[in-house]
């Protein structure tokens, strides 16, 4: 079971080493507390899986919404302890950047961090290996990273102000992933 409540968009998935059995992403807003466990229950029922059948739990560990993170982490930890299965944390921005690992240009993964700020990290191929380049940063829309003259992919939860700031600063060099391509999976 994978759980992601790092932002207003919540996600769940049931998968094994063969396939994804069920997946759900929805706008939870500030309702993670009331929506998460019923959504897990409904997804398990949909594919005829009992909680006792789970072999592990993966959970988004941020950066992200403080309250959303607490809800997801508490649910994941409770399930893992009750079922005596392993739990693993996945960084939110790592999950957001992963679908773009095959691109030949740098990727900036971005999520809302509250109060008009964004958490951002750069990803790319350094020394032949894909991964995060540097630390997570907290920026305003005007402070979103811009790098030289190279085209850059921005993936994540960018509001209109952030999109406008990027287009104004970078023009065509800013490739902004569509919301459908920027969903964390």
């Amino acid at each position: 079971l994978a759980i992601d409540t790092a932002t207003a968009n919540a996600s769940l998935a049931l998968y094994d080493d063969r396939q994804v059995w069920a997946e759900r992403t929805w706008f939870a807003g500030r309702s993670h507390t009331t929506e998460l466990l019923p959504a897990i229950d409904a997804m398990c029922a949909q594919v005829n899986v009992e909680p006792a059948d789970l072999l592990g739990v993966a959970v988004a560990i941020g950066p992200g919404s403080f309250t959303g993170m607490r809800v997801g982490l508490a649910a994941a930890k409770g399930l893992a302890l009750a079922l005596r299965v392993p739990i693993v944390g996945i960084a939110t921005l790592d999950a957001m950047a992963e679908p773009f690992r095959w691109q030949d240009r740098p990727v900036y993964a971005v999520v809302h961090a509250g109060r008009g700020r964004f958490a951002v990290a750069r990803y790319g191929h350094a020394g032949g290996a894909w991964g995060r380049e540097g630390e997570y940063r907290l920026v305003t829309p005007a402070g979103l990273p811009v790098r030289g003259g190279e085209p850059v992919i921005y993936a994540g939860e960018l509001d209109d102000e952030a999109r406008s700031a990027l287009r104004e600063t970078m023009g065509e060099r800013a490739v902004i992933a569509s919301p459908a391509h920027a969903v964390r999976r």
Side-chain angles (χ1 to χ4, degrees):
L1 172 67
I3 300 170
D4 182 353
T5 57
T7 67
N9 294 306
S11 291
L12 297 171
L14 285 169
Y15 63 95
D16 61 18
D17 60 349
R18 294 175 288 146
Q19 72 180 58
V20 174
W21 292 94
E23 183 176 46
R24 179 175 179 210
T25 299
W26 74 101
F27 181 79
R30 296 177 181 246
S31 300
H32 295 91
T33 302
T34 58
E35 295 179 4
L36 181 62
L37 291 177
I40 292 171
D41 187 49
M43 187 167 25
C44 286
Q46 181 181 21
V47 293
N48 201 27
V49 169
E50 295 293 327
D53 297 330
L54 297 176
L55 301 175
V57 179
V59 62
I61 58 171
S65 156
F66 179 71
T67 302
M69 296 301 311
R70 286 187 310 163
V71 171
L73 289 166
K77 187 172 182 180
L79 285 167
L81 286 172
L83 299 170
R84 294 191 167 117
V85 296
I87 185 172
V88 64
I90 308 293
T92 306
L93 295 175
D94 292 357
M96 190 166 286
E98 182 65 22
F100 299 93
R101 76 177 303 139
W102 309 112
Q103 297 293 326
D104 61 353
R105 58 184 74 176
V107 174
Y108 283 98
V110 182
V111 295
H112 283 278
R115 298 183 180 156
R117 298 169 303 170
F118 294 89
V120 62
R122 177 186 164 99
Y123 295 80
H125 299 277
W130 166 261
R132 183 167 41 93
E133 299 173 352
E135 299 300 316
Y136 300 119
R137 295 179 39 209
L138 193 61
V139 299
T140 64
L144 282 168
V146 176
R147 184 166 174 136
E150 66 185 338
V152 175
I153 297 172
Y154 289 89
E157 299 178 351
L158 295 165
D159 60 18
D160 290 339
E161 181 184 359
R163 288 173 184 272
S164 293
L166 285 171
R167 285 191 185 104
E168 185 177 312
T169 306
M170 294 188 66
E172 295 297 315
R173 291 178 296 129
V175 177
I176 301 172
S178 73
H181 286 105
V183 171
R184 293 179 309 278
R185 299 189 73 218

